[in-house]
Amino acid sequence: MPELAPGAYSFERLASFENLFAAARKAERGKRFTHAAAVFNQRLAENLMPLRGELLSGSYRPGEYRTFQIFEPTHRHISAAPYRDRVVHHALCNVMAPLFERSFIADSYANRIGKGTHRALDRCTEYVRRYSHVFQGDIRQFFPAIDHRVLAARLARRIHDPRVLGLANLILDSSNEQEPAIFYFPGDDLFSPHDRRRGLPIGNLTSQFWANVYLDPLDHFFRDQLGAPGYIRYVDDFLVFSNDANRLAEWRSEAGPFLDGLRLLLHPRKSRIYPTAEGIPFLGFRVYPAQRRMLAGGVQRARRRLTRQASEYAAGEVDRGHVARSVRSWIAHAMHGDTTGLRRTLPGALVLRARRAELRVGDRPGPPMAARAVSSPPNGLRTLRRDSPEPRASSKRGTGYRPRHEDDFSGFHRPSPARESS
Protein backbone atom coordinates (compact mmCIF):
# COMPACT_ATOMS: atom_id res chain seq x y z
CA MET A 1 0.00 0.00 0.00
CA PRO A 2 1.40 3.44 -0.85
CA GLU A 3 2.44 5.55 2.09
CA LEU A 4 -0.43 7.74 3.25
CA ALA A 5 0.00 11.50 3.33
CA PRO A 6 -0.72 13.35 6.59
CA GLY A 7 -4.44 13.81 7.07
CA ALA A 8 -5.28 11.04 4.57
CA TYR A 9 -6.38 8.51 7.18
CA SER A 10 -10.02 8.60 6.15
CA PHE A 11 -12.49 5.76 6.03
CA GLU A 12 -12.68 6.05 2.25
CA ARG A 13 -8.96 5.35 2.09
CA LEU A 14 -9.40 2.40 4.46
CA ALA A 15 -12.15 0.91 2.27
CA SER A 16 -10.41 1.64 -1.04
CA PHE A 17 -9.80 -1.31 -3.33
CA GLU A 18 -6.05 -0.57 -3.25
CA ASN A 19 -5.93 -0.82 0.53
CA LEU A 20 -8.07 -3.96 0.63
CA PHE A 21 -5.93 -5.58 -2.06
CA ALA A 22 -2.75 -4.77 -0.11
CA ALA A 23 -4.42 -6.12 3.05
CA ALA A 24 -5.33 -9.36 1.27
CA ARG A 25 -1.71 -9.80 0.20
CA LYS A 26 -0.54 -9.30 3.78
CA ALA A 27 -3.17 -11.69 5.14
CA GLU A 28 -1.97 -14.52 2.90
CA ARG A 29 1.63 -14.38 4.13
CA GLY A 30 2.35 -17.73 5.70
CA LYS A 31 -1.22 -18.85 4.92
CA ARG A 32 -1.12 -19.07 1.13
CA PHE A 33 -1.63 -22.81 0.99
CA THR A 34 -4.36 -23.03 3.62
CA HIS A 35 -7.84 -23.85 2.42
CA ALA A 36 -9.40 -20.56 3.56
CA ALA A 37 -6.74 -18.45 1.87
CA ALA A 38 -6.88 -20.48 -1.35
CA VAL A 39 -10.67 -20.19 -1.59
CA PHE A 40 -10.64 -16.45 -0.92
CA ASN A 41 -7.75 -15.67 -3.26
CA GLN A 42 -9.07 -17.83 -6.08
CA ARG A 43 -11.62 -15.09 -6.75
CA LEU A 44 -9.87 -12.24 -5.02
CA ALA A 45 -11.47 -9.30 -6.84
CA GLU A 46 -14.93 -10.87 -6.61
CA ASN A 47 -14.49 -11.29 -2.85
CA LEU A 48 -12.99 -7.84 -2.22
CA MET A 49 -15.66 -5.83 -4.01
CA PRO A 50 -18.60 -7.04 -1.84
CA LEU A 51 -16.44 -6.62 1.24
CA ARG A 52 -15.67 -3.06 0.20
CA GLY A 53 -19.38 -2.43 -0.33
CA GLU A 54 -20.20 -3.70 3.17
CA LEU A 55 -17.57 -1.44 4.71
CA LEU A 56 -18.78 1.66 2.85
CA SER A 57 -22.45 0.99 3.58
CA GLY A 58 -21.84 0.18 7.24
CA SER A 59 -23.33 -3.30 6.93
CA TYR A 60 -20.06 -5.17 7.60
CA ARG A 61 -20.23 -7.49 10.58
CA PRO A 62 -17.40 -9.75 11.82
CA GLY A 63 -17.95 -13.50 11.63
CA GLU A 64 -17.66 -16.17 14.30
CA TYR A 65 -14.27 -17.08 15.71
CA ARG A 66 -12.79 -20.54 15.52
CA THR A 67 -11.22 -21.38 18.86
CA PHE A 68 -8.60 -23.94 19.81
CA GLN A 69 -5.93 -24.44 22.45
CA ILE A 70 -2.17 -24.69 22.30
CA PHE A 71 -0.01 -26.13 25.05
CA GLU A 72 3.50 -25.08 23.98
CA PRO A 73 5.26 -23.09 25.24
CA THR A 74 2.32 -22.41 27.60
CA HIS A 75 -1.37 -23.25 27.64
CA ARG A 76 -3.26 -20.59 25.66
CA HIS A 77 -6.68 -20.15 24.12
CA ILE A 78 -6.36 -19.05 20.49
CA SER A 79 -9.21 -17.47 18.52
CA ALA A 80 -8.94 -17.40 14.73
CA ALA A 81 -11.18 -14.98 12.83
CA PRO A 82 -12.64 -15.89 9.43
CA TYR A 83 -10.25 -15.15 6.59
CA ARG A 84 -12.25 -12.21 5.18
CA ASP A 85 -12.21 -10.63 8.64
CA ARG A 86 -8.44 -10.98 8.73
CA VAL A 87 -8.29 -8.99 5.52
CA VAL A 88 -10.32 -6.24 7.23
CA HIS A 89 -7.96 -6.35 10.21
CA HIS A 90 -4.99 -5.73 7.93
CA ALA A 91 -6.83 -2.94 6.13
CA LEU A 92 -7.63 -1.27 9.46
CA CYS A 93 -4.07 -1.62 10.74
CA ASN A 94 -2.74 -0.10 7.50
CA VAL A 95 -4.60 3.04 8.48
CA MET A 96 -4.19 2.91 12.27
CA ALA A 97 -0.50 2.10 12.47
CA PRO A 98 0.84 5.46 11.18
CA LEU A 99 -1.36 7.30 13.70
CA PHE A 100 0.19 5.49 16.67
CA GLU A 101 3.71 4.67 15.46
CA ARG A 102 4.90 8.22 16.01
CA SER A 103 4.20 7.90 19.75
CA PHE A 104 5.78 4.45 20.25
CA ILE A 105 9.26 4.33 21.73
CA ALA A 106 12.09 2.84 19.70
CA ASP A 107 12.60 -0.07 22.12
CA SER A 108 9.11 -1.56 21.72
CA TYR A 109 9.79 -4.50 19.41
CA ALA A 110 6.64 -6.57 18.92
CA ASN A 111 4.55 -6.46 15.74
CA ARG A 112 6.27 -3.45 14.23
CA ILE A 113 7.99 -3.02 10.89
CA GLY A 114 11.76 -3.12 11.26
CA LYS A 115 11.62 -4.56 14.79
CA GLY A 116 10.98 -8.15 15.89
CA THR A 117 12.46 -10.74 18.23
CA HIS A 118 16.00 -10.77 16.86
CA ARG A 119 16.42 -7.00 17.06
CA ALA A 120 15.06 -7.16 20.59
CA LEU A 121 17.66 -9.80 21.44
CA ASP A 122 20.43 -7.64 19.99
CA ARG A 123 19.28 -4.70 22.10
CA CYS A 124 19.07 -6.93 25.18
CA THR A 125 22.66 -8.07 24.60
CA GLU A 126 23.75 -4.44 24.38
CA TYR A 127 22.10 -3.57 27.69
CA VAL A 128 23.32 -6.74 29.43
CA ARG A 129 26.88 -5.71 28.64
CA ARG A 130 26.27 -2.18 29.82
CA TYR A 131 24.29 -2.61 33.08
CA SER A 132 24.77 -4.84 36.11
CA HIS A 133 21.12 -5.45 37.12
CA VAL A 134 17.75 -5.95 35.45
CA PHE A 135 14.13 -5.80 36.52
CA GLN A 136 12.33 -8.37 34.40
CA GLY A 137 8.59 -7.76 34.34
CA ASP A 138 5.67 -9.76 33.01
CA ILE A 139 1.97 -8.85 32.95
CA ARG A 140 -0.35 -11.39 34.51
CA GLN A 141 -2.80 -12.85 31.95
CA PHE A 142 -2.20 -9.90 29.67
CA PHE A 143 -4.49 -10.54 26.70
CA PRO A 144 -7.42 -11.89 28.77
CA ALA A 145 -7.06 -8.92 31.17
CA ILE A 146 -7.09 -6.08 28.59
CA ASP A 147 -9.98 -3.80 29.55
CA HIS A 148 -12.18 -2.74 26.62
CA ARG A 149 -13.08 0.65 28.09
CA VAL A 150 -9.44 1.57 28.66
CA LEU A 151 -8.45 0.45 25.16
CA ALA A 152 -11.39 2.21 23.48
CA ALA A 153 -10.46 5.46 25.23
CA ARG A 154 -6.88 5.18 24.00
CA LEU A 155 -8.02 4.52 20.44
CA ALA A 156 -10.36 7.53 20.50
CA ARG A 157 -7.47 9.84 21.44
CA ARG A 158 -5.72 9.19 18.12
CA ILE A 159 -8.42 8.13 15.65
CA HIS A 160 -10.51 11.15 14.72
CA ASP A 161 -12.44 9.76 11.75
CA PRO A 162 -15.69 8.48 13.34
CA ARG A 163 -16.12 5.63 10.86
CA VAL A 164 -12.57 4.36 11.30
CA LEU A 165 -13.08 4.50 15.06
CA GLY A 166 -16.46 2.82 14.66
CA LEU A 167 -14.90 -0.08 12.75
CA ALA A 168 -12.21 -0.45 15.41
CA ASN A 169 -14.86 -0.51 18.15
CA LEU A 170 -16.93 -3.00 16.15
CA ILE A 171 -13.99 -5.41 15.97
CA LEU A 172 -13.25 -4.81 19.65
CA ASP A 173 -16.86 -5.43 20.70
CA SER A 174 -17.04 -8.61 18.60
CA SER A 175 -14.21 -10.21 20.58
CA ASN A 176 -15.25 -13.62 21.82
CA GLU A 177 -15.06 -14.61 25.45
CA GLN A 178 -11.56 -15.24 26.73
CA GLU A 179 -10.30 -17.16 29.73
CA PRO A 180 -11.33 -15.58 33.06
CA ALA A 181 -9.15 -12.79 34.45
CA ILE A 182 -11.04 -11.51 37.50
CA PHE A 183 -8.90 -8.91 39.26
CA TYR A 184 -9.90 -6.10 41.61
CA PHE A 185 -8.35 -2.64 41.56
CA PRO A 186 -8.61 0.44 43.79
CA GLY A 187 -12.10 1.94 43.58
CA ASP A 188 -13.80 -1.27 42.42
CA ASP A 189 -16.90 -2.56 44.05
CA LEU A 190 -17.92 -6.20 44.24
CA PHE A 191 -19.33 -6.27 40.72
CA SER A 192 -16.81 -4.09 38.84
CA PRO A 193 -14.69 -6.92 37.38
CA HIS A 194 -17.84 -8.63 36.14
CA ASP A 195 -19.42 -5.52 34.63
CA ARG A 196 -16.40 -4.59 32.50
CA ARG A 197 -15.64 -6.45 29.27
CA ARG A 198 -12.12 -7.78 29.04
CA GLY A 199 -9.93 -9.80 26.73
CA LEU A 200 -8.64 -9.75 23.16
CA PRO A 201 -8.37 -12.78 20.83
CA ILE A 202 -4.67 -13.64 20.65
CA GLY A 203 -4.90 -14.70 17.00
CA ASN A 204 -6.03 -11.30 15.67
CA LEU A 205 -3.63 -8.88 14.02
CA THR A 206 -5.60 -6.05 15.62
CA SER A 207 -5.05 -7.62 19.05
CA GLN A 208 -1.30 -7.70 18.52
CA PHE A 209 -1.25 -4.07 17.42
CA TRP A 210 -3.59 -2.93 20.18
CA ALA A 211 -1.30 -4.59 22.73
CA ASN A 212 1.30 -1.96 21.80
CA VAL A 213 -1.31 0.79 22.02
CA TYR A 214 -2.41 -0.44 25.45
CA LEU A 215 1.10 -0.65 26.94
CA ASP A 216 2.52 2.47 25.30
CA PRO A 217 1.87 4.46 28.54
CA LEU A 218 3.95 1.90 30.45
CA ASP A 219 6.84 2.42 28.01
CA HIS A 220 6.77 6.17 28.54
CA PHE A 221 6.37 5.72 32.29
CA PHE A 222 9.68 3.87 32.57
CA ARG A 223 11.54 5.75 29.86
CA ASP A 224 10.36 9.34 30.40
CA GLN A 225 8.88 9.59 33.89
CA LEU A 226 11.27 7.33 35.81
CA GLY A 227 14.22 7.90 33.49
CA ALA A 228 15.23 4.25 33.10
CA PRO A 229 18.57 4.19 31.22
CA GLY A 230 17.76 0.87 29.56
CA TYR A 231 14.30 -0.44 28.70
CA ILE A 232 12.95 -3.06 26.29
CA ARG A 233 9.43 -4.40 25.79
CA TYR A 234 8.18 -7.25 23.64
CA VAL A 235 4.37 -7.58 23.99
CA ASP A 236 3.87 -7.94 27.77
CA ASP A 237 7.46 -8.94 28.63
CA PHE A 238 9.65 -5.99 29.55
CA LEU A 239 13.17 -5.45 30.86
CA VAL A 240 14.39 -2.43 32.84
CA PHE A 241 18.17 -2.08 33.24
CA SER A 242 20.25 -0.15 35.74
CA ASN A 243 23.51 -0.37 37.67
CA ASP A 244 21.58 0.29 40.92
CA ALA A 245 19.50 -2.64 42.20
CA ASN A 246 17.89 -0.46 44.87
CA ARG A 247 16.69 1.95 42.21
CA LEU A 248 15.15 -0.94 40.30
CA ALA A 249 13.34 -2.03 43.46
CA GLU A 250 11.89 1.47 43.82
CA TRP A 251 10.76 1.45 40.19
CA ARG A 252 9.12 -1.93 40.66
CA SER A 253 7.12 -0.62 43.61
CA GLU A 254 6.01 2.38 41.53
CA ALA A 255 5.07 0.23 38.53
CA GLY A 256 2.31 -1.57 40.46
CA PRO A 257 0.17 1.53 41.13
CA PHE A 258 0.75 2.76 37.57
CA LEU A 259 -0.49 -0.51 36.13
CA ASP A 260 -3.60 -0.23 38.32
CA GLY A 261 -4.68 2.60 36.03
CA LEU A 262 -4.51 0.18 33.10
CA ARG A 263 -6.27 -2.51 35.17
CA LEU A 264 -3.25 -4.80 34.87
CA LEU A 265 -1.14 -6.67 37.41
CA LEU A 266 2.52 -7.66 37.49
CA HIS A 267 3.04 -11.40 37.54
CA PRO A 268 4.28 -12.11 41.10
CA ARG A 269 6.56 -14.99 40.14
CA LYS A 270 7.88 -13.88 36.75
CA SER A 271 8.65 -10.29 37.77
CA ARG A 272 11.97 -10.09 39.62
CA ILE A 273 15.25 -8.19 39.98
CA TYR A 274 18.61 -9.93 39.58
CA PRO A 275 22.16 -9.43 38.22
CA THR A 276 22.49 -9.50 34.45
CA ALA A 277 25.50 -11.83 34.82
CA GLU A 278 23.02 -14.61 35.69
CA GLY A 279 21.69 -14.47 32.15
CA ILE A 280 18.27 -13.14 31.15
CA PRO A 281 15.69 -15.63 29.81
CA PHE A 282 14.16 -13.62 26.98
CA LEU A 283 12.43 -14.59 23.71
CA GLY A 284 13.62 -18.18 23.71
CA PHE A 285 17.25 -17.51 24.69
CA ARG A 286 19.20 -16.91 27.85
CA VAL A 287 21.19 -13.76 27.18
CA TYR A 288 24.58 -13.41 28.90
CA PRO A 289 27.10 -10.60 28.48
CA ALA A 290 29.32 -12.81 26.29
CA GLN A 291 26.91 -15.32 24.76
CA ARG A 292 23.35 -16.43 24.12
CA ARG A 293 22.13 -19.92 24.84
CA MET A 294 18.86 -21.36 23.60
CA LEU A 295 16.53 -22.20 26.47
CA ALA A 296 16.15 -25.91 27.21
CA GLY A 297 12.39 -25.75 26.73
CA GLY A 298 12.80 -24.40 23.21
CA VAL A 299 15.27 -27.15 22.33
CA GLN A 300 12.89 -29.82 23.62
CA ARG A 301 9.98 -28.38 21.64
CA ALA A 302 12.11 -28.24 18.49
CA ARG A 303 13.19 -31.84 18.98
CA ARG A 304 9.58 -32.98 19.42
CA ARG A 305 8.44 -31.00 16.39
CA LEU A 306 11.20 -32.32 14.13
CA THR A 307 10.61 -35.87 15.33
CA ARG A 308 6.90 -35.52 14.60
CA GLN A 309 7.62 -34.17 11.12
CA ALA A 310 9.97 -37.06 10.41
CA SER A 311 7.16 -39.45 11.33
CA GLU A 312 4.73 -37.56 9.10
CA TYR A 313 7.25 -37.73 6.28
CA ALA A 314 7.65 -41.48 6.80
CA ALA A 315 3.86 -41.89 6.62
CA GLY A 316 3.70 -39.89 3.39
CA GLU A 317 1.66 -37.10 4.99
CA VAL A 318 4.10 -34.31 4.09
CA ASP A 319 6.76 -33.95 1.42
CA ARG A 320 10.45 -33.28 1.76
CA GLY A 321 10.09 -29.59 0.89
CA HIS A 322 7.71 -29.02 3.80
CA VAL A 323 10.14 -30.60 6.24
CA ALA A 324 13.07 -28.68 4.74
CA ARG A 325 11.29 -25.34 5.12
CA SER A 326 10.50 -26.07 8.76
CA VAL A 327 14.08 -27.09 9.53
CA ARG A 328 15.52 -24.04 7.77
CA SER A 329 13.17 -21.80 9.73
CA TRP A 330 14.31 -23.27 13.03
CA ILE A 331 17.98 -23.04 12.04
CA ALA A 332 17.57 -19.39 11.04
CA HIS A 333 16.17 -18.67 14.51
CA ALA A 334 18.79 -20.75 16.33
CA MET A 335 21.59 -18.92 14.53
CA HIS A 336 20.90 -15.88 16.68
CA GLY A 337 22.48 -17.69 19.61
CA ASP A 338 25.62 -19.70 20.28
CA THR A 339 24.14 -22.92 18.91
CA THR A 340 26.70 -24.29 16.45
CA GLY A 341 26.73 -27.76 17.97
CA LEU A 342 22.98 -27.83 18.36
CA ARG A 343 22.44 -26.85 14.74
CA ARG A 344 24.70 -29.72 13.66
CA THR A 345 23.17 -32.48 15.78
CA LEU A 346 19.45 -31.75 16.03
CA PRO A 347 18.62 -31.59 12.30
CA GLY A 348 21.03 -34.47 11.71
CA ALA A 349 18.78 -36.83 13.67
CA LEU A 350 15.87 -35.80 11.47
CA VAL A 351 17.94 -36.43 8.32
CA LEU A 352 18.68 -40.00 9.39
CA ARG A 353 15.01 -40.67 10.16
CA ALA A 354 13.97 -39.18 6.82
CA ARG A 355 16.48 -41.28 4.87
CA ARG A 356 15.29 -44.46 6.62
CA ALA A 357 11.74 -43.43 5.77
CA GLU A 358 12.67 -43.06 2.10
CA LEU A 359 14.14 -46.57 2.08
CA ARG A 360 11.02 -47.98 3.71
CA VAL A 361 8.73 -46.15 1.31
CA GLY A 362 10.79 -47.37 -1.65
CA ASP A 363 10.19 -50.99 -0.63
CA ARG A 364 6.42 -50.78 -0.92
CA PRO A 365 3.80 -49.17 -3.11
CA GLY A 366 2.98 -45.84 -1.57
CA PRO A 367 1.15 -42.64 -2.27
CA PRO A 368 2.30 -40.61 -5.29
CA MET A 369 4.07 -38.10 -3.05
CA ALA A 370 6.16 -40.83 -1.43
CA ALA A 371 6.99 -42.30 -4.82
CA ARG A 372 8.16 -38.92 -6.03
CA ALA A 373 10.27 -38.55 -2.91
CA VAL A 374 12.35 -41.65 -3.76
CA SER A 375 12.38 -41.24 -7.51
CA SER A 376 15.82 -39.65 -7.24
CA PRO A 377 18.65 -40.21 -4.76
CA PRO A 378 18.27 -38.15 -1.59
CA ASN A 379 21.32 -36.02 -2.32
CA GLY A 380 19.87 -33.10 -0.40
CA LEU A 381 19.33 -35.21 2.71
CA ARG A 382 22.78 -35.59 4.10
CA THR A 383 24.58 -35.00 7.36
CA LEU A 384 27.92 -33.31 7.80
CA ARG A 385 30.87 -35.67 7.47
CA ARG A 386 33.29 -35.89 10.32
CA ASP A 387 35.93 -34.16 8.20
CA SER A 388 33.54 -31.39 7.10
CA PRO A 389 34.45 -27.91 8.29
CA GLU A 390 32.30 -26.53 11.08
CA PRO A 391 29.68 -24.06 9.82
CA ARG A 392 30.51 -20.51 10.75
CA ALA A 393 28.16 -17.59 11.25
CA SER A 394 28.25 -14.26 9.52
CA SER A 395 29.48 -11.30 11.53
CA LYS A 396 26.11 -9.65 10.94
CA ARG A 397 23.21 -11.30 12.71
CA GLY A 398 20.34 -12.36 10.54
CA THR A 399 22.49 -12.87 7.41
CA GLY A 400 24.27 -16.10 8.36
CA TYR A 401 23.95 -19.55 6.83
CA ARG A 402 21.50 -20.56 4.21
CA PRO A 403 21.07 -24.06 2.78
CA ARG A 404 23.04 -24.93 -0.34
CA HIS A 405 20.01 -26.83 -1.56
CA GLU A 406 16.33 -26.64 -0.75
CA ASP A 407 16.49 -30.00 1.00
CA ASP A 408 19.93 -29.60 2.56
CA PHE A 409 19.20 -29.50 6.27
CA SER A 410 22.64 -29.28 7.78
CA GLY A 411 25.23 -28.04 5.29
CA PHE A 412 25.66 -24.31 5.13
CA HIS A 413 27.79 -21.70 3.50
CA ARG A 414 28.22 -18.05 4.30
CA PRO A 415 28.97 -14.92 2.26
CA SER A 416 32.34 -14.14 3.83
CA PRO A 417 34.44 -15.69 6.61
CA ALA A 418 34.02 -14.11 10.01
CA ARG A 419 34.30 -15.09 13.62
CA GLU A 420 31.04 -16.27 15.21
CA SER A 421 29.66 -13.43 17.31
CA SER A 422 28.01 -13.92 20.61
Side-chain angles (χ1 to χ4, degrees):
M1 177 183 176
E3 185 176 353
L4 299 177
Y9 309 103
S10 66
F11 191 82
E12 287 75 14
R13 190 64 181 263
L14 183 153
S16 68
F17 185 83
E18 292 78 10
N19 186 38
L20 291 175
F21 184 83
R25 288 297 177 232
K26 289 182 178 180
E28 75 173 355
R29 292 176 185 170
K31 307 287 185 181
R32 179 176 299 178
F33 301 110
T34 63
H35 177 73
V39 170
F40 190 90
N41 291 326
Q42 185 178 14
R43 298 183 177 274
L44 183 58
E46 291 88 339
N47 287 322
L48 290 181
M49 291 307 294
L51 181 58
R52 179 174 184 269
E54 291 178 26
L55 290 170
L56 290 173
S57 66
S59 61
Y60 167 78
R61 294 294 180 271
E64 295 292 329
Y65 285 92
R66 178 175 61 88
T67 60
F68 56 95
Q69 300 181 56
I70 61 173
F71 298 91
E72 292 184 348
T74 59
H75 181 207
R76 292 181 183 270
H77 294 266
I78 306 297
S79 300
Y83 190 80
R84 74 192 302 263
D85 291 343
R86 282 180 256 169
V87 173
V88 175
H89 298 168
H90 278 276
L92 177 61
C93 287
N94 285 345
V95 170
M96 284 194 305
L99 298 174
F100 290 92
E101 275 288 339
R102 66 189 70 173
S103 72
F104 292 161
I105 67 169
D107 284 323
S108 169
Y109 287 92
N111 309 297
R112 297 177 64 192
I113 296 174
K115 302 293 183 178
T117 57
H118 299 141
R119 289 184 183 271
L121 285 167
D122 290 342
R123 189 65 158 170
C124 181
T125 298
E126 177 185 342
Y127 284 147
V128 164
R129 292 170 175 172
R130 188 184 303 177
Y131 301 105
S132 62
H133 287 79
V134 63
F135 163 36
Q136 184 165 25
D138 181 85
I139 306 297
R140 186 177 177 184
Q141 287 186 274
F142 174 58
F143 279 100
I146 289 179
D147 188 89
H148 286 201
R149 293 186 205 172
V150 175
L151 177 57
R154 291 201 54 77
L155 294 176
R157 291 192 186 102
R158 290 277 181 178
I159 302 175
H160 301 304
D161 187 304
R163 289 193 291 173
V164 175
L165 182 60
L167 178 60
N169 286 330
L170 176 64
I171 295 173
L172 177 60
D173 293 339
S174 69
S175 300
N176 60 337
E177 185 176 354
Q178 303 297 306
E179 58 184 297
I182 309 299
F183 306 132
Y184 287 87
F185 297 92
D188 284 357
D189 58 29
L190 180 63
F191 301 102
S192 292
H194 305 278
D195 293 338
R196 304 177 69 104
R197 288 205 63 192
R198 298 175 310 278
L200 294 181
I202 295 179
N204 277 7
L205 174 69
T206 50
S207 300
Q208 304 297 321
F209 178 75
W210 287 339
N212 283 336
V213 174
Y214 203 87
L215 288 181
D216 184 53
L218 180 68
D219 299 339
H220 289 281
F221 172 74
F222 278 112
R223 178 62 60 83
D224 302 332
Q225 187 171 333
L226 298 182
Y231 175 83
I232 300 171
R233 182 177 61 80
Y234 192 92
V235 193
D236 61 322
D237 298 321
F238 61 89
L239 304 173
V240 189
F241 294 86
S242 176
N243 288 321
D244 188 343
N246 293 328
R247 179 64 61 84
L248 290 175
E250 295 175 3
W251 290 346
R252 176 177 177 171
S253 64
E254 295 181 46
F258 181 85
L259 286 171
D260 287 345
L262 298 175
R263 300 189 68 82
L264 297 174
L265 295 174
L266 283 174
H267 197 291
R269 179 174 55 84
K270 297 181 180 179
S271 301
R272 62 192 189 99
I273 299 170
Y274 56 95
T276 55
E278 292 183 8
I280 300 175
F282 187 55
L283 301 178
F285 293 85
R286 185 173 293 275
V287 182
Y288 296 92
Q291 63 178 339
R292 295 180 196 163
R293 309 298 297 177
M294 185 169 281
L295 293 175
V299 176
Q300 293 169 2
R301 288 191 296 273
R303 181 175 288 111
R304 286 195 294 267
R305 183 173 65 254
L306 296 181
T307 300
R308 182 178 65 251
Q309 289 181 343
S311 300
E312 292 171 347
Y313 179 74
E317 298 174 4
V318 298
D319 60 13
R320 186 190 303 180
H322 172 84
V323 180
R325 287 189 295 271
S326 179
V327 174
R328 287 202 310 270
S329 175
W330 177 82
I331 289 175
H333 173 67
M335 282 174 53
H336 288 266
D338 296 279
T339 57
T340 300
L342 184 63
R343 296 197 306 270
R344 289 169 62 104
T345 58
L346 193 57
L350 174 66
V351 171
L352 293 177
R353 290 175 64 94
R355 295 186 69 176
R356 294 191 192 107
E358 287 191 326
L359 294 175
R360 289 198 301 271
V361 172
D363 292 338
R364 68 177 191 276
M369 179 194 65
R372 289 196 303 270
V374 298
S375 60
S376 59
N379 295 327
L381 293 170
R382 56 178 177 270
T383 57
L384 290 175
R385 302 188 304 272
R386 289 186 181 274
D387 58 347
S388 298
E390 183 184 32
R392 292 174 295 177
S394 167
S395 60
K396 182 179 180 181
R397 292 198 183 278
T399 59
Y401 323 104
R402 60 183 178 85
R404 288 191 295 265
H405 184 273
E406 180 182 3
D407 298 330
D408 189 351
F409 296 161
S410 55
F412 301 94
H413 69 81
R414 45 190 293 276
S416 59
R419 179 175 58 86
E420 175 135 359
S421 57
S422 59

